[in-house]
């Protein structure tokens, strides 16, 4: 794709001796939402960690716009415009909800949380003074998403964002993601194992299996049955 | 007041507050023998907190929790477990540095004291039981694998297995299928249906498909209070539940 | 207490109250640096005492220079020398973090061993540079006198000075940690280094500056303690145990806890050493700390969240 | 060269026709290094002077130095090493009583010789040790006499660090004050070793208004003690304070300005105005730098090698038993920097006591010199 | 037999390690060194007890005790009290004001033996006390701390405070304890002179055997279910608790075990060195004991012995060769080990020697789990 804001090519990665990702290749256009679907242990989280520079990676290229990220430290990558919602939340549990969001805010925001974030997750406003660690599981997940959005990224990586979130908010989230890409220059990569959410949210689908993409299609052509097939072997 | 014989767990007027915030608010809940109860409710409704209260991780502000005539609110955790209450945590909580076999063995209810541990022997009965449980949780061919190397879903199963081996009368599972793949969810549903025979099970879950497949009865919590209770059908169409939880 | 005049007793009450307060400020000043390094970052810095010693030696060094080249500046140099102490201890801390500490964040317990080694090395360096004997920086007269509040009440000026300094440093640290965006980064980094990186915080820089800051504050403390204590290669070791005690008792990770803990230990100790013998006073204070930690297993002001 | 080795040494000591090995055993590291450095320097000075004069029995003295590291068990280990591996003919060393007590059994077992320089609590006499510092009665009684007389002191406040020397010394002092001087002890207090906070102690002292503060605080605490005294407004101008634990070494760490007007009871002060001392001071500074302070213990340590040389030469042998016999003969005396000293058969020295009044420059003016005092390590009735 | 091999020696790896260790300390050292050096090594090996105890408490129990010296000291003092009483017979103390009591009591104007010293006339009592007293003390601390779920640094700091308290008390009550000097000048054990060369050899071997036995006992504990439970505890304490175990009682047990093992070391120290002093009870020696265990590899029982030997041999060698600068070398050693061999001596063996052997035997590399970088390191 020519107007790709985020492009990955030849990405290899793994843990210690064992390679998990094998020459992954994909790109995401501005204002596009891409879903990476795959069963347990197929390498979704590994992919995201490698993209973020949390895992060292074993070669390949990751670009945001024209900028090559491979070789950069994690915070530099974030400053180049990617943001990350890890699987398992990883919120700062001893800090308040407000402070958690503020860690993501750019210096220019001067610690003021944009209204739209609270509009998205009203519960966070109610609980802004509470310690992050005391939130319920789902509330923490919402906080992690808000924290990533606060960095005002060009590319947003969401690793199984619906885990533990109540159905109404999942529906809301899908709507919101679509909303956000309409309003802002942003590309979203989201990983999931269940189809319902991504069918609501994503423009394009990849299926990852044993560290390789085995299926790719745009929403218009997507056959839910086929993907479900991959997901429920 | 004597407990109705068929009621295993009776929660009455249970309240817990954190710095003034009532996470659970005068809750009454009764679970019967052989029942599989699903608790649903919005994020932050107090579901996990209820389980914490039952198993003694959090102490209640007021109210009582009775499990077969035993008052649990003041018992230390390990006594609650020994009384027959097993609990699975929201994130898989297993011993990553031990093998599947050892994980199960440690959970086997024998040799729980210091001396018991020192003189503990792997008898044939124990081995048999471990194998039985392992095959029940689809891990019979992974006995020697380090638990840390299992997939997410397998870890969840292993933790369920660790509870099963204690043969608890009340089993509580917090979001057992979160992060599981579709096929694993199916297998888990099947597993739960199987193990609910002969004991009571409380499950917390947000996946409605899954709930539908397992629930005998559904309780909906909201802001620490009971919002609705009944079979899946009635709850799903309850406008209040749709409003606060399911969404339109 | 028979045999003493009322005014005697009154002045003792005042002075005793004051010595409790000044012990409080001493403990607090000692503990602040460690509250950052240990309480926030989780580094068990056994060389913390040696960073204090750096500060003390800087006062000595400055006093020698000033006495030699600018005798007229003597009455004022002390304040200036404290800044030097901060800067030097900060710089040393910066390099120590770079060379040693940053490799150990993933294994916090090993920092104990490494910094113990570091403290041995630093002691030897002091000995080689400044000699094995104690030295005594010449302190300005205004600092070492007493303020005669009334006929019978003498308030030590060095106590007042340390008190003022510790109020200053504490408020500085407080603002830094809880009111600045930098503090937010520090706390995020220390809670989950990798995740902090993933929200765009330059954790390496944050770690290095935070550690250096803690060391710098230790330097300030050491500098201030030249007014009440000794300056020798091993002087720092006199403070290290109390310092850890104060930080841990407060509840690691909580600055307010550190303040509370310094206050309560100081008051209890100063009261008990007045009524009991010195040694029994100390023993009883330690016992009290143990009992209270038993009742509050995570320190006076635990930074607890549900797990 | 002197007589052949076979004649002067029958015990397998490290003696050859040309040299003899001795050990120096002090703390070079740890908290005690602060105090022990001077002693070590003085011993080396004496040995180099003796070597320059031709050595002992025609043999040059070679030194094996070991670090006791401020740790008593280490002292014992190193003493054992010096005796059993290096076969040293004598050891110059130790500072604290605890280190000496740890070394003592080793000395007695291996029949070694120790020259011990520190003023100490007494209650000990070993054939294997020569005590070149004063024992407690020598340091305490004359000094108390002096304050009682010149300051008309009746009330005393005793304060020391919490270990055996201050406690034993204070016990003697208390007895002497009440029984002989008919004064009163209004307070007695021991600070834990290493404690740095004297606020409460100082307030207690104020409450009692003692005529004399009688102090034996040691180590890093000593500096805190005097600095906090000064800051509390208790200075030499208004308060008589006699200390047993401040020599020029400590004064350097405390800062002369914090000591002005206070008194120390010692057998030696650097400022002593005699030709012997001036030469000693000059030599010492030539070897160790012009600012190196010389305290009581330093000077006593300097006496060790000289006394040993005299005893060996008197015995005509390095053999420990013969040297001990010579030491116990009661005929060894030496014109030390502090003046003539006499080695008594009880292994202690007959010396004088001096009272020094501290000046801002870290030196003391000697305001009193006692007559010679016989050493009495086991005083009756105390 | 098989179960002895598996449970007490720890299978093949463990048995080989034990054998090598036994040969090193029981054969090689006595052949290589004279009695003076051997006695020194014997002294180091007594510290190794404390290090082995710490491997159990810290490495496996997961609680860092900064007061292990307390137990070492308690064990040592109990034996020292017996020996001191034996050394204070009427003949050798005839010059005292009160003959027949230990010399330091006489110096402190005590005129009768304090009551709590009386039972230490009996060797049996002293030995029992040397084992039971530390265990009891550890039990009291353990119950007070672990039942209240004091853990982590709080536990460390408390044990440190306990060490400080005990030191102050021992030093302050010098009439009863010998104060800072400790209990010195110990000579005979039931009339047997412990200072002769032959006695030193005997004590050295007794010490070595006891050390090997202690390691075997620890091995047994670790290979039992309790060992796996400890591993589980370090991993997920909550899960263990919710599997029906009383977590505190396990921590208390392991803490007491560590205490008793350290105490044996203290008792052997007194016998071999001939005195006991508060400088073993305090904070600094306790930290040094932690360092021995850490250099050894924290979770390796045998490594702890080598770690102790390495550090002490280094200390002795450096300080003999460079009496003025040896601290630099020691500091360098500690930092070097931390940076280069994160798992200490044992790590050197596991990470370098074993793979070499494995490669030599051309075994398949095993799959290992890499620590998740996102997980909090705690
Ligand atoms: N820390 C680790 N060390 C070694 N191997 C690992 C580690 N973490 C994951 N793996 C392996 O890498 C593979 C991919 O794991 P990854 O976590 O990326 O899967 P995933 O698709 O995110 O699965 P899930 O849906 O469970 O989150 C798995 O086979 C897993 O066993
Ligand atoms: N220790 C605590 N301090 C303060 N608030 C707490 C504490 N524990 C729980 N809470 C609050 O109590 C409420 C209930 O939390 P709980 O974890 O029980 O929710 P939940 O129903 O399990 O939600 P989810 O579906 O998101 O897991 C939440 O709002 C949470 O913020
Ligand atoms: Mg994943
Ligand atoms: Mg929950």
């Amino acid at each position: 794709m020519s107007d790709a804001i985020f492009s990955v090519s030849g990405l290899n990665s793994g843990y210690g001796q064992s390679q998990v990702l094998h020459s992954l290749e994909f790109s995401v256009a501005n204002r596009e939402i891409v879903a990476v679907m795959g069963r347990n242990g197929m390498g979704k989280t590994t992919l995201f960690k490698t993209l973020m520079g949390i895992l060292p990676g074993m070669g390949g290229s990751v670009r945001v716009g024209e900028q090559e990220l491979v070789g950069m430290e994690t915070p530099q990558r974030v400053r180049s415009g990617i943001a990350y919602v890890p699987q398992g939340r990883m919120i700062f549990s001893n800090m308040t909800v407000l402070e958690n969001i503020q860690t993501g805010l750019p210096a220019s925001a001067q610690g003021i949380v944009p209204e739209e974030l609270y509009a998205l997750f009203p519960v966070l406003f109610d609980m802004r003074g509470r310690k992050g660690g005391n939130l319920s599981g789902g509330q923490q997940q919402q906080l992690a998403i808000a924290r990533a959005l606060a960095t005002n990224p060009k590319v947003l990586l969401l690793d199984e964002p619906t885990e533990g979130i109540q159905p109404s908010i999942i529906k809301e989230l899908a709507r919101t993601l679509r909303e956000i890409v309409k309003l802002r220059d942003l590309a979203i990569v989201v990983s999931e194992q269940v189809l319902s959410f991504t069918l609501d949210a994503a423009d394009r689908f990849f299926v990852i299996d044993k560290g390789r993409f085995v299926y790719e299609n745009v929403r218009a052509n997507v056959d839910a049955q086929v993907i479900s097939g991959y997901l429920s072997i | 007041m004597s407990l109705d014989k068929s009621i295993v767990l009776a929660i009455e007027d249970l309240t817990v507050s954190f710095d003034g915030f009532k996470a659970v608010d005068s809750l009454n809940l009764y679970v019967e023998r052989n029942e599989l109860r699903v608790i649903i409710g919005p994020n932050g409704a107090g579901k996990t907190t209820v389980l914490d209260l039952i198993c003694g991780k959090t102490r209640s502000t007021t109210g009582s929790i009775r499990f077969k005539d035993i008052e649990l609110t003041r018992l230390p955790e390990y006594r609650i477990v020994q009384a027959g209450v097993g609990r699975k945590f929201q994130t898989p909580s297993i011993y990553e540095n031990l093998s599947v076999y050892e994980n199960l063995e440690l959970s086997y209810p024998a040799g729980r004291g210091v001396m018991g541990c020192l003189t503990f022997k792997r008898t044939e009965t124990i081995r048999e039981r471990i194998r039985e449980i392992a095959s029940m949780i689809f891990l019979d061919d992974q006995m020697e694998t380090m638990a840390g190397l299992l997939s997410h879903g397998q870890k969840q199963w292993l933790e369920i297995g660790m509870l099963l081996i204690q043969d608890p009368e009340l089993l509580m599972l917090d979001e057992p299928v979160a992060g599981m793949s579709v096929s694993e969810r199916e297998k888990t549903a099947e597993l739960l249906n199987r193990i609910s025979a002969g004991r009571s099970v409380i499950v917390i879950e947000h996946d409605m498909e899954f709930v539908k497949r397992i629930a005998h009865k559904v309780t909906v919590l909201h802001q620490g209070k009971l919002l609705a209770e009944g079979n899946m059908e009635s709850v799903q169409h309850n406008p209040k539940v749709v409003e606060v939880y399911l969404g339109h | 207490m028979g045999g003493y005049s009322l005014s005697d007793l009154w002045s003792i009450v005042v002075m005793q109250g004051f010595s409790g307060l000044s012990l409080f400020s001493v403990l607090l000043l000692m503990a602040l640096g460690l509250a950052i390094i240990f309480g926030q970052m989780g580094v068990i810095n056994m060389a913390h005492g040696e960073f204090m010693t750096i500060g003390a030696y800087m006062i000595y060094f400055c006093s020698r220079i000033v006495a030699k080249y600018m005798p007229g500046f003597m009455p004022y140099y002390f304040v200036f020398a404290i800044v030097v102490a901060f800067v030097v201890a900060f710089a040393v801390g910066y390099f120590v973090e770079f060379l040693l500490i940053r490799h150990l964040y993933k294994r916090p317990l090993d920092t104990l061993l490494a910094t113990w080694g570091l403290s041995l090395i630093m002691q030897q360096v002091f000995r080689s540079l400044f000699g094995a004997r104690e030295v005594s920086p010449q302190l300005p007269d205004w600092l070492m006198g007493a303020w005669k509040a009334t006929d019978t009440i003498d308030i030590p000026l060095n106590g007042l000075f340390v008190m003022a300094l510790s109020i200053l440093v504490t408020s500085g640290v407080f603002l830094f940690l809880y009111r600045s965006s930098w503090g937010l980064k520090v706390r995020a980094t220390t809670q989950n280094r990798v995740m902090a990186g993933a929200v765009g915080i330059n954790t390496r820089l944050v770690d290095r500056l935070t550690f250096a800051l803690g060391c710098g504050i230790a330097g300030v403390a050491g500098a201030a303690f030249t007014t009440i204590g000794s300056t020798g290669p091993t002087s720092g070791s006199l403070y290290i145990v109390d310092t850890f005690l104060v930080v841990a008792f407060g509840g690691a990770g909580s600055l307010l806890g550190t303040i509370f803990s310094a206050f309560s230990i100081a008051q209890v100790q100063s009261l008990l050493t007045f009524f009991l013998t010195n040694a029994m006073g100390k023993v009883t204070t330690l016992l009290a700390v143990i009992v209270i930690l038993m009742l509050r297993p995570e320190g006076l002001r635990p930074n607890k969240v549900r797990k | 060269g002197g007589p052949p080795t076979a004649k002067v040494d029958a015990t397998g000591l490290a003696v050859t026709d040309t040299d003899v090995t001795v050990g120096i055993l002090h703390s070079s590291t740890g908290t005690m290094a602060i105090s022990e450095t001077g002693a070590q320097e003085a011993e080396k000075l004496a040995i180099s002077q003796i070597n320059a004069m031709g050595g002992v029995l025609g043999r040059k003295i070679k030194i094996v130095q070991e670090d006791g590291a401020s740790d008593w068990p280490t002292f014992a280990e190193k003493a054992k090493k010096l005796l059993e591996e290096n076969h040293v003919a004598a050891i110059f060393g130790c500072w604290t009583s605890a280190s000496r007590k740890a070394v003592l059994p080793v000395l007695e077992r291996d029949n070694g010789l120790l020259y011990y320089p520190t003023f100490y609590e007494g209650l000990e006499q070993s054939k294997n040790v020569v005590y070149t510092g004063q024992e407690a009665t020598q340091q305490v009684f004359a000094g108390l006499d002096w304050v009682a007389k010149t300051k008309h002191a009746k009330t005393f406040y005793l304060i020391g660090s919490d270990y055996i020397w201050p406690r034993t010394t204070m016990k003697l002092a208390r007895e002497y004050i009440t029984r002989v001087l008919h004064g009163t002890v209004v307070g007695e207090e021991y600070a834990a070793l290493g404690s740095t906070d004297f606020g409460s102690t100082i307030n207690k002292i104020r409450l009692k208004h003692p005529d004399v503060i009688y102090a034996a605080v040691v180590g890093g605490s000593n500096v805190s003690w005097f600095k906090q005294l000064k800051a509390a407004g208790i200075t030499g101008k208004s308060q008589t304070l006699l200390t047993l634990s401040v020599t020029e070494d400590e004064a350097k760490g405390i800062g002369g300005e914090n000591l002005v007007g206070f008194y120390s009871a010692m057998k030696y002060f650097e400022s002593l105005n005699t030709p012997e001392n001036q030469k000693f001071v000059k030599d010492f500074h030539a070897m160790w730098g012009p600012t190196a302070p010389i305290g009581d213990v330093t000077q006593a340590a300097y006496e060790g090698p000289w006394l040993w040389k005299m005893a060996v030469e008197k015995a005509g042998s390095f053999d420990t038993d013969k040297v001990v016999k010579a030491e116990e003969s009661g005929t060894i005396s030496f014109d030390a920097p502090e003046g003539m000293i006499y080695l008594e058969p009880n292994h202690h020295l007959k010396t004088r006591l001096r009272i020094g009044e501290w000046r801002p420059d870290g030196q003391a003016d000697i305001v009193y010199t006692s007559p010679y005092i016989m050493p009495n390590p086991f005083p009756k009735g105390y | 037999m098989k179960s002895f091999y598996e449970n007490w020696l720890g299978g093949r790896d463990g048995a080989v390690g034990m054998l090598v260790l036994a040969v090193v300390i029981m054969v090689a050292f006595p052949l290589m060194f004279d009695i003076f050096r051997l006695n020194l090594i014997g002294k180091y090996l007594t510290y190794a007890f404390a290090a082995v105890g710490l491997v159990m408490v810290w490495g496996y129990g997961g609680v860092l005790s900064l007061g292990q010296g307390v137990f070492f000291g308690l064990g040592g003092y109990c034996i020292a009290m017996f020996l001191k009483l034996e050394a204070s017979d009427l003949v050798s103390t005839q010059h005292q004001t009160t003959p027949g009591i230990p010399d330091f009591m006489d110096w402190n104007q005590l005129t009768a033996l304090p009551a709590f010293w009386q039972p230490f006339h009996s060797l049996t009592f002293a030995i029992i006390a040397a084992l039971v007293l530390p265990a009891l003390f550890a039990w009291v601390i353990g119950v007070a701390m672990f039942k209240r779920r004091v853990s982590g640094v709080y536990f460390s700091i408390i044990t440190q405070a306990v060490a400080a308290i005990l030191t102050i008390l021992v030093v302050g009550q010098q009439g009863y304890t010998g104060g800072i000097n400790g209990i010195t000048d110990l000579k005979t054990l039931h009339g047997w002179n412990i200072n002769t060369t032959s006695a030193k050899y005997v004590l050295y071997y007794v010490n070595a055997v006891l050390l090997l036995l202690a390691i075997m006992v620890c091995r047994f504990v670790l290979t039992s279910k309790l060992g796996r439970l400890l591993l589980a505890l370090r991993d997920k304490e909550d899960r263990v608790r919710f599997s029906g175990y009383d977590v505190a009682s396990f921590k208390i047990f392991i803490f007491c075990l560590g205490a008793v093992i350290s105490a044996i070391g203290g008792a052997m120290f007194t016998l071999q060195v001939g005195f006991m002093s508060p400088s073993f009870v305090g904070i600094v020696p306790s930290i040094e004991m932690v360092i021995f265990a850490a250099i050894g590899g924290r979770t390796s029982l045998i490594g702890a012995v080598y770690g102790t030997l390495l550090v002490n041999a280094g200390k002795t060698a450096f300080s003999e060769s460079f009496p003025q600068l040896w601290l630099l070398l020691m500091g360098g050693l500690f930092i070097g080990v931390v940076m280069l061999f994160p798992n200490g001596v044992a790590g050197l063996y596991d990470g370098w020697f074993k793979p070499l052997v494995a490669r030599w035997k051309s075994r398949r590399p095993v799959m290992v789990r890499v620590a998740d970088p996102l997980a909090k390191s705690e």
Side-chain angles (χ1 to χ4, degrees), chain C residues 160-228:
Chain C
L160 281 178
F161 180 81
V162 172
M163 217 179 280
L165 193 67
S166 73
I167 291 174
L168 192 77
V169 177
T170 312
S171 6
V173 169
F174 200 87
L175 289 179
F176 169 82
L177 271 183
Y178 294 99
R179 294 286 176 272
S180 77
S181 69
W182 186 259
L184 204 67
K185 292 179 182 172
V186 171
R187 284 183 294 140
T189 302
T190 53
Q191 273 182 48
N192 189 332
R193 202 158 266 104
V194 179
M195 194 55 228
V199 294
I201 296 170
N202 185 343
T203 53
R204 280 180 195 229
L205 189 68
V206 167
D207 279 329
R208 194 153 313 150
L209 292 181
T210 310
F211 186 82
L213 177 75
C215 294
I217 293 173
V220 171
F225 293 168
T226 54
T227 62
I228 53 162

Side-chain angles (χ1 to χ4, degrees), chain A residues 38-41 87-89 123 127 130 134 136-139 142 160 163-171 175 193-195 228 231-233, chain B residues 19 21 41-45 48 90-91 151-154 175 178-186 206-208 242-248:
Chain A
R39 285 177 293 132
N40 267 155
Q87 188 172 18
R89 296 140 199 167
V123 68
M127 307 215 156
R130 197 172 294 186
N134 285 340
S136 79
Q139 292 165 340
Q142 299 175 32
E160 304 203 24
E163 218 179 276
I165 293 193
Q166 69 186 74
S168 60
I169 295 186
I170 295 180
K171 289 177 192 157
R175 243 172 276 153
Q193 328 213 16
V194 270
L195 205 46
S228 295
L231 294 181
S232 56
I233 297 170
Chain B
D19 313 320
F21 173 85
N43 295 131
T48 303
Q90 197 157 350
T91 46
S151 79
H152 178 81
Q154 289 172 322
E175 303 196 21
M180 277 192 183
S181 63
V182 180
S183 58
E184 284 172 339
R185 282 172 204 237
E186 280 164 19
H206 287 299
D207 180 347
M208 286 305 118
V242 173
E243 173 64 33
V244 302
Y245 181 63
L246 294 172
H248 302 282

Side-chain angles (χ1 to χ4, degrees), chain E residues 21-168:
Chain E
L21 182 68
V23 169
V24 167
I25 58 180
M26 312 248 285
V27 181
F29 285 161
L31 288 178
M32 281 159 65
F33 298 111
D34 62 12
I35 185 62
F36 166 68
R37 291 286 159 185
L38 196 67
N39 186 234
L40 262 189
I41 292 173
K43 182 171 103 176
Y44 304 159
L45 288 178
T46 64
Y47 303 151
F49 282 91
V52 167
L54 272 167
V55 166
M56 295 301 285
V57 175
W58 181 32
Y60 289 95
V63 284
L64 174 56
S65 157
L66 289 180
Q68 208 64 6
V70 166
F71 307 117
F72 188 88
L74 275 177
Y77 265 101
C78 285
I79 298 297
M81 284 163 82
F82 168 77
L83 294 177
K84 188 68 190 175
L85 286 180
E86 191 173 317
S88 311
D89 58 293
L90 285 172
V91 181
S92 27
T93 55
Q94 57 185 332
H95 297 294
Q96 292 177 185
T97 319
T98 317
I101 62 173
D103 48 10
F104 61 84
M105 292 186 185
D106 195 56
W107 305 332
N108 286 286
Q109 278 83 38
L110 263 61
T111 50
L113 196 65
F116 78 94
W117 271 74
Q118 293 293 354
F120 285 91
H121 278 295
S122 146
L123 178 60
T124 328
F125 180 86
I127 291 175
I128 292 174
L131 299 175
V132 171
L133 224 56
L136 211 63
F137 194 51
W139 185 78
V140 170
I141 297 176
V143 168
M145 297 300 128
F146 298 130
K147 288 277 183 206
R148 300 280 326 162
R149 298 216 193 137
V150 178
S151 63
V153 293
Y154 303 99
F155 179 78
S156 306
I157 295 295
I158 284 181
T159 47
Q160 199 171 50
V162 170
I165 290 177
L166 221 68
T167 317
I168 295 176

